[in-house]
């Protein structure tokens, strides 16, 4: 195994201090120091190999050494074990622990290897002794510490780093991952150099059979690890192609990847743990695993994305059928996608039609859609792949030409039974499920039982879009796992924060709420009968208006908090449109279109590079 390689590597570096000195000389913490000083530090360094996934130190550990990365890459993690999140990465020639070392503090993060990495360990006692002997080295190290602290002040939360290496694994026999790799390479080439690495490429560069080198082959394994590390250090985005069968190269692809794409055409029947997926499960990886369903013949609704996710141990999936799908996948994989968040607000939600029209005309891609209440309804229709004309027609039929919200009942639970509206949803969506949508989609509801937001990414559209629109008091809540779920707008009328957590890129949020939702213009009062004998100057608020406003009441502070999660926050001109003023469809849609054109045109230059037309 790798222990033999590290023995060989350690022996070579121990016998040749020049190699260690070269690594130190390339590090900011030591570069520029006299050769004699570098040699003194090199003599006290101890090489250590970390396997992929192995921990260098844990949050809270006492500082025992300064670490310099010779080969590979490590990642720092913060938070708790149950909610761990990536803080940043440390690459070749970078140092770890200098701030905690000089401050005599404990480590504030956990650091693990995301590659098979070689680390130089300089014990604290040796370092402190050397710094006293060589003040110029202390000054150099202090400058690095100050630079790190200034970077933290400038970028307090840079977020998780995007992947620089992808590995494509065929989920079963007959899947050709090269076609997808070439498509991704074409998209990523806009960012810089992209290399596809497979057994043939490696063997051509290093010699026959090198790609299949086992980890317990010291000489060949050392050459391969150094070469792969050099490709990554050169700034290239690397796409690894695993073999069709388990073996040393396939395992190496898994261990070298920041993100693993398990590719299936879903033609093999019921998802199963194939030999390659079994090897993946047995391999320690730090990579995120994603299923890509490359469907040229299988209809989306006939596929089993959740089954493949379970078989692969994946946390997400994408459908790829066209070149546009490949482009969307590429954007989403590296955090350069565009997510649209559609808020709730009854008839004011018709403004989303104007937003989508403006985005289409400006050629702004939509890689993920999320919504609540009316935003969930329109967002689901879009995510199905329907045209904007078709969506507008269906919205008009549902809310303007026909009244599906008039099945009143004795208000023991709600004013409406909502059976007519559910039948309408069934007619529109059938058995279509969220996980089968062409564009990734989520909607939210509110658990009245727990007082918490519930995010829906799986299940039937009829169930969860309907639940996201079930205003308490007007429509009955959905019962699910002993909980009562209702309109998502009760707690979050614009889930830009939920969209942000997906980490797929820019967030565009469309707020259709209005501060003047319910008022009695022209009446001073106090008058408890004013709404019964109306004498105001505007429209009299009705029961539905009062119930909906009560159920979705938000403050300006909450609006600002939601806006903070969006890269582009658009508050639509919805003033004067009642919550159930369905006849405002055309007027509001056109006004929203004109408003969105201005806002999106201004934001367009700030889109990620891959999202630029």
């Amino acid at each position: 195994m790798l222990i033999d390689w590290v023995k060989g590597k350690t022996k070579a570096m121990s016998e040749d201090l020049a190699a260690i000195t070269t690594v130190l000389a390339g590090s900011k913490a030591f570069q520029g120091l006299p050769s004699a000083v570098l040699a003194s530090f090199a003599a006290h360094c101890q090489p250590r190999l970390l396997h992929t996934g192995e921990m260098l130190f844990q949050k809270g550990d006492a500082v025992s050494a300064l670490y310099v990365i010779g080969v590979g890459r490590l990642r720092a993690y913060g938070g708790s074990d149950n909610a761990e999140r990536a803080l940043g990465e440390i690459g070749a020639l970078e140092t770890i622990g200098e701030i905690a070392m000089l401050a005599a503090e404990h480590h504030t993060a956990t650091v693990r290897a995301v590659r098979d990495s070689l680390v130089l360990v300089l014990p604290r006692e040796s370092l402190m002794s050397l710094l006293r002997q060589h003040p110029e080295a202390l000054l150099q190290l202090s400058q690095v510490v100050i630079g790190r602290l200034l970077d933290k002040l400038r970028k307090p939360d840079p977020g998780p780093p995007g992947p620089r290496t992808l590995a494509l694994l065929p989920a079963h026999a007959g899947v050709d991952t090269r076609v997808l790799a070439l498509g991704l390479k074409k998209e990523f080439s806009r960012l810089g150099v992209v290399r596809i690495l497979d057994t043939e490429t490696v063997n051509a560069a290093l010699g026959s059979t090198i790609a299949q080198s086992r980890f317990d082959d010291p000489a060949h394994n050392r050459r391969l690890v150094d070469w792969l590390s050099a490709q990554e250090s050169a700034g290239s985005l690397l796409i690894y192609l695993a073999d069709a069968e388990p073996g040393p190269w396939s395992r190496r692809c898994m261990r070298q990847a920041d993100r693993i794409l398990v590719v299936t055409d879903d033609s093999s029947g019921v998802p199963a743990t194939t030999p390659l997926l079994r090897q993946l499960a047995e391999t320690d990886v730090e990579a995120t695993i994603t299923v890509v369903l490359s469907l040229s013949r299988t209809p989306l609704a006939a596929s089993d994305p959740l089954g493949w996710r379970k078989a692969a141990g994946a946390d997400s999936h994408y459908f790829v059928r066209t070149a546009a799908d490949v482009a969307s996948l590429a954007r989403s994989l590296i955090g350069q996608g565009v997510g649209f968040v559609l808020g709730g607000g009854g008839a004011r939600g018709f403004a989303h039609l104007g937003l989508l029209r403006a985005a289409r005309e400006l050629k702004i891609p939509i890689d993920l859609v999320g919504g609540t209440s009316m935003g969930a309804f329109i967002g689901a229709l879009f995510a199905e792949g329907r045209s904007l004309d078709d969506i507008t027609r269906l919205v008009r039929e549902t809310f303007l030409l026909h009244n599906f919200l008039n099945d009143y009942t004795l208000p023991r639970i709600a004013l409406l039974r909502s059976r007519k509206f559910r039948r309408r949803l069934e007619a529109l969506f059938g058995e279509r499920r969220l996980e089968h949508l062409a564009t990734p989609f989520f909607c939210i509801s509110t658990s009245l039982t727990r007082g918490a937001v519930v995010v829906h990414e799986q299940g039937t559209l009829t169930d969860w879009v309907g639940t996201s629109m079930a205003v308490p008091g007007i429509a009955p809540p959905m019962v699910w796992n002993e909980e009562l779920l209702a309109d998502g707008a009760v707690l979050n009328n614009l889930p830009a924060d939920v969209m942000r957590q997906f980490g797929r890129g820019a967030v565009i949020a469309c707020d259709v709420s209005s501060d003047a939702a319910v008022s009695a213009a022209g009446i001073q009062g106090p008058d408890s009968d004013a709404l019964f004998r109306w004498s105001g100057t505007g429209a009299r608020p009705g029961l539905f208006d009062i119930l909906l406003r009560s159920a979705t009441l938000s403050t300006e502070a909450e609006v600002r908090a939601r806006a903070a999660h969006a890269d582009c926050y658009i508050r639509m001109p919805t003033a004067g449109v009642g919550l159930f003023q369905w006849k405002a469809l055309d007027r509001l849609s056109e006004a929203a279109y004109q408003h969105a054109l201005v806002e999106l045109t201004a934001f367009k230059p700030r889109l990620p590079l891959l999202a630029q037309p």
Side-chain angles (χ1 to χ4, degrees):
M1 298 297 290
L2 280 171
I3 189 65
D4 297 309
W5 176 78
V6 73
K7 286 179 180 178
K9 187 80 170 178
T10 302
K11 180 180 179 182
M13 296 190 75
S14 298
E15 294 175 347
D16 186 5
L17 287 179
I20 297 178
T21 304
T22 299
V23 172
L24 294 181
S27 169
K28 286 184 179 180
F30 299 97
Q31 63 185 198
L33 294 176
S35 56
V37 176
L38 285 173
S40 298
F41 281 89
H44 289 81
C45 287
Q46 305 164 4
R48 175 184 172 187
L49 182 89
L50 292 176
H51 301 278
T52 299
E54 187 176 349
M55 186 164 56
L56 180 62
F57 53 75
Q58 192 169 15
K59 179 180 178 181
D61 286 351
V63 177
S64 61
L66 176 72
Y67 305 95
V68 183
I69 312 303
V71 174
R73 187 144 52 97
L74 284 72
R75 184 177 296 150
Y77 296 89
S80 63
D81 292 338
N82 295 329
E84 192 178 65
R85 67 187 185 95
L87 300 177
E89 293 190 349
I90 310 100
L93 303 181
E94 294 188 70
T95 53
I96 305 174
E98 64 274 10
I99 296 177
M101 174 77 69
L102 295 181
E105 296 283 347
H106 289 71
H107 289 296
T108 58
T110 296
V111 173
R112 294 198 297 269
V114 293
R115 300 283 185 278
D116 290 332
S117 304
L118 186 66
V119 179
L120 301 181
V121 182
L122 185 54
R124 187 175 190 277
E125 296 76 12
S126 299
L127 175 64
M128 291 304 181
S129 175
L130 289 167
L131 291 177
R132 284 191 290 269
Q133 297 174 41
H134 305 287
E136 65 272 39
L138 176 59
L139 176 61
Q140 181 86 1
L141 190 60
S142 299
Q143 290 175 340
V144 172
V145 169
I146 293 171
R148 288 273 178 89
L149 293 175
L150 288 175
D151 285 343
K152 287 186 176 181
L153 290 175
R154 297 188 191 105
K155 300 178 181 179
D157 186 11
R164 284 180 277 179
T165 58
L166 304 175
L168 274 58
L169 278 61
H172 50 82
V175 175
D176 183 6
T177 57
R178 186 172 298 277
V179 175
L180 177 59
L182 291 172
L184 292 173
K185 179 180 179 180
K186 178 182 177 182
E187 297 299 325
F188 292 142
S189 293
R190 298 174 62 184
L191 303 175
V193 178
V194 183
R195 296 203 65 186
I196 296 177
L197 301 180
D198 56 12
T199 53
E200 290 78 9
T201 303
V202 173
N203 289 339
L206 300 178
S208 179
T209 73
I210 292 293
Q212 295 296 342
S213 299
R214 296 176 58 86
F215 295 112
D216 55 3
D217 179 350
H220 288 165
N221 189 64
R222 183 169 66 249
R223 285 185 64 204
L224 181 53
V225 169
D226 288 346
W227 187 80
L228 293 177
S229 180
Q231 306 310 303
E232 186 174 340
S233 297
S236 301
L237 193 153
L238 305 181
I239 301 176
Y240 287 87
L241 294 187
D243 293 334
E245 299 294 333
W249 174 250
S250 294
R251 186 181 297 276
R252 194 177 299 276
C253 291
M254 300 170 191
R255 295 176 67 138
Q256 290 291 122
D258 292 322
R259 191 145 190 172
I260 296 172
L261 305 184
V262 175
V263 185
T264 173
D265 61 13
D266 208 60
S267 63
S268 65
V270 179
T273 305
T274 61
L276 197 58
L277 294 186
R278 201 154 31 244
Q279 184 180 40
L280 174 59
E282 295 168 354
T283 302
D284 290 328
V285 298
E286 286 289 295
T288 300
I289 302 174
T290 296
V291 166
V292 176
L293 294 99
S294 182
L295 306 181
S296 58
R297 294 176 299 275
T298 305
L300 269 60
S303 64
D304 189 1
L306 298 185
W308 281 113
R309 281 169 59 166
K310 182 178 180 180
D315 63 358
S316 60
H317 70 273
Y318 294 88
F319 291 107
V320 170
R321 298 164 299 165
T322 66
D325 293 336
V326 174
S328 180
L329 172 64
R331 290 190 294 268
S332 297
L333 288 176
I334 64 170
Q336 291 206 15
V338 183
F340 276 62
V341 180
L342 311 182
R348 300 189 187 103
F350 295 156
H352 298 314
L353 299 172
L355 173 77
L356 297 176
R357 177 183 165 194
R360 181 187 63 185
E361 292 194 11
L362 294 172
K363 295 188 168 93
I364 295 176
I366 302 178
D367 301 305
L368 176 65
V369 180
T372 186
S373 201
M374 181 63 80
F377 181 78
I378 293 176
L381 292 170
F382 178 87
E384 279 192 300
R386 297 179 185 268
S387 70
L388 189 53
D389 289 341
D390 194 29
I391 295 173
T392 303
R393 176 181 60 81
L394 294 174
V395 168
R396 187 185 307 278
E397 291 176 356
T398 302
F399 297 101
L400 187 58
L401 301 182
H402 304 285
N403 189 355
F404 293 98
L405 296 172
N406 65 353
D407 53 346
Y408 299 101
T409 184
L410 182 65
R412 293 179 300 176
I413 305 297
L415 290 175
L416 304 176
R417 288 184 180 274
S418 291
R419 291 176 181 172
K420 287 181 64 175
F421 188 66
R422 181 176 177 86
R423 286 196 295 270
R424 174 59 174 171
L425 294 178
E426 290 171 346
L428 289 175
F429 298 123
E431 295 298 318
R432 182 71 62 88
R433 299 178 64 86
L434 278 76
E435 63 267 24
H436 284 145
L437 296 179
T439 299
F441 170 78
F442 73 86
C443 63
I444 67 168
S445 66
T446 298
S447 170
L448 301 179
T449 304
R450 293 181 289 116
V453 171
V454 181
V455 180
H456 302 285
E457 297 178 77
Q458 304 172 12
T460 66
L461 287 164
T462 296
D463 282 337
W464 300 130
V465 170
T467 301
S468 186
M469 303 176 75
V471 180
I474 296 178
M478 170 71 79
V479 178
W480 175 251
N481 291 334
E482 300 184 351
E483 294 187 28
L484 300 182
L485 305 185
D487 196 312
V490 172
L491 289 182
N492 190 339
N493 197 35
L494 190 69
D497 53 336
V498 177
M499 178 70 78
R500 176 63 68 194
Q501 291 169 6
F502 281 89
R504 297 185 187 179
V507 176
I508 296 176
C510 183
D511 189 350
V512 296
S513 63
S514 174
D515 294 332
V518 178
S519 65
I523 300 177
Q524 298 303 317
D527 187 346
S528 60
D529 287 332
L531 295 185
F532 293 100
R533 43 182 179 77
W534 183 251
S535 61
T537 58
R540 174 170 55 186
L543 177 60
F544 278 21
D545 299 298
I546 295 170
L547 284 174
L548 183 56
R549 183 57 173 165
S550 300
T552 60
L553 191 64
S554 61
T555 66
E556 276 299 311
E558 290 170 332
V559 171
R560 288 193 298 270
R562 292 194 296 271
H565 293 283
D567 299 286
C568 177
Y569 173 77
I570 302 175
R571 190 152 193 175
M572 286 297 186
T574 59
V577 178
L579 295 170
F580 296 93
Q581 195 173 341
W582 309 123
K583 292 182 180 180
L585 191 156
D586 294 314
R587 171 169 57 88
L588 181 55
S589 176
E590 178 62 26
Y593 162 70
Q594 297 295 341
H595 183 72
L597 269 182
V598 175
E599 297 288 334
L600 291 179
T601 298
F603 175 69
K604 191 175 177 181
R606 295 168 49 205
L607 285 170
L609 180 59
L610 291 189
Q612 295 283 351

